[in-house]
Amino acid sequence: MANFRTHLSVAAAGGAVLAHGGWQAGLWSALDSLPILALTTLGGILPDIDSDSSKAIRLVFNLLAVPAVVAGAVMLQERLSDGTLLLVCGGIYLAVRYLAGAIFARFTVHRGLWHSLLAASMCGFATSAISHRLFAPPDAMAWAHGAALTMGFAIHLLLDELYSVDLDGARLKRSFGTAFKPFDWGDPGNSVAMLCVTLSLAPWLPSWDVLQGLLDQGVALVSSRWR
């Protein structure tokens, strides 16, 4: 399979193309391109957080701890004194960085459910929902944030599958088919649970009509480049 550096660099390259292309097409501003690039890059390493010894799990939970603290501070600042709020935010950081990471590592298996298009969709929807509810950008940008992370996630899965093909020996490695899959065939129970979580995000998402418009614009842009 591809290593951490490969996943990071290829996802960053894909994010740069997406961010620049959307800016040039007038879908977002130059400043708005930065989170698009960052989210695509993050998506490119996200699937490997199910590997207990990977760099990804440490990096991702470090990154997730920061917005968790910001969200906690925003929601609790009017209810708690400054000293108490500081302690609570510190607790949130430690809980996300260490406790959540340890729990996630305990209950996940590498190349399992987390390496699937279902997981990519759930993470993309969650990103759009958080962007929409917490940061309140225009609906199109909230969807773009989710799409960027999903694209990075898909890049990771595709890279893992490509590295499962041994071109020198003209054969498929045992790992082929374990990354770019719709869901975890061997664990249907957890797949159904993840599907339910994904569907439960629907009320928190931006307008679906806006998503359709954004997709239409993207298809038109790609089509025009190939003419």
Side-chain angles (χ1 to χ4, degrees), residues 115-137:
H115 273 69
S116 70
L117 296 176
L118 176 58
S121 299
M122 184 191 71
C123 290
F125 283 159
T127 301
S128 290
I130 293 171
S131 175
H132 178 57
R133 297 292 175 175
L134 189 59
F135 301 105

Side-chain angles (χ1 to χ4, degrees), residues 18 20 23-24 28 30-31 44 56 66 73 78-79 93 100 125 129 136 145-146 166 175 194 197 203 207 218-219:
L18 177 62
H20 181 75
W23 171 40
Q24 291 297 307
W28 47 71
L31 185 60
V66 175
E78 296 182 356
R79 303 179 184 180
Y93 178 86
F125 283 159
H145 292 158
D166 184 357
S175 58
M194 181 174 282
V197 172
S207 168
V219 171

Side-chain angles (χ1 to χ4, degrees), residues 156-179:
H156 181 112
L157 302 185
L158 282 171
L159 276 174
D160 277 349
E161 290 295 1
L162 290 174
Y163 272 74
S164 297
V165 179
D166 184 357
L167 296 178
D168 292 333
R171 65 183 179 86
L172 299 178
K173 300 178 182 178
R174 292 180 60 185
S175 58
F176 183 76
T178 60

Side-chain angles (χ1 to χ4, degrees), residues 60-73 89 92-93 96-97 135:
V60 169
F61 278 97
N62 266 327
L63 294 175
L64 290 177
V66 175
V69 169
V70 173
C89 287
I92 292 173
Y93 178 86
V96 174
R97 170 61 185 88
F135 301 105

Side-chain angles (χ1 to χ4, degrees), residues 78-102:
E78 296 182 356
R79 303 179 184 180
L80 302 175
S81 64
D82 291 344
T84 304
L85 181 62
L86 182 62
L87 289 174
V88 170
C89 287
I92 292 173
Y93 178 86
L94 294 174
V96 174
R97 170 61 185 88
Y98 297 103
L99 181 59

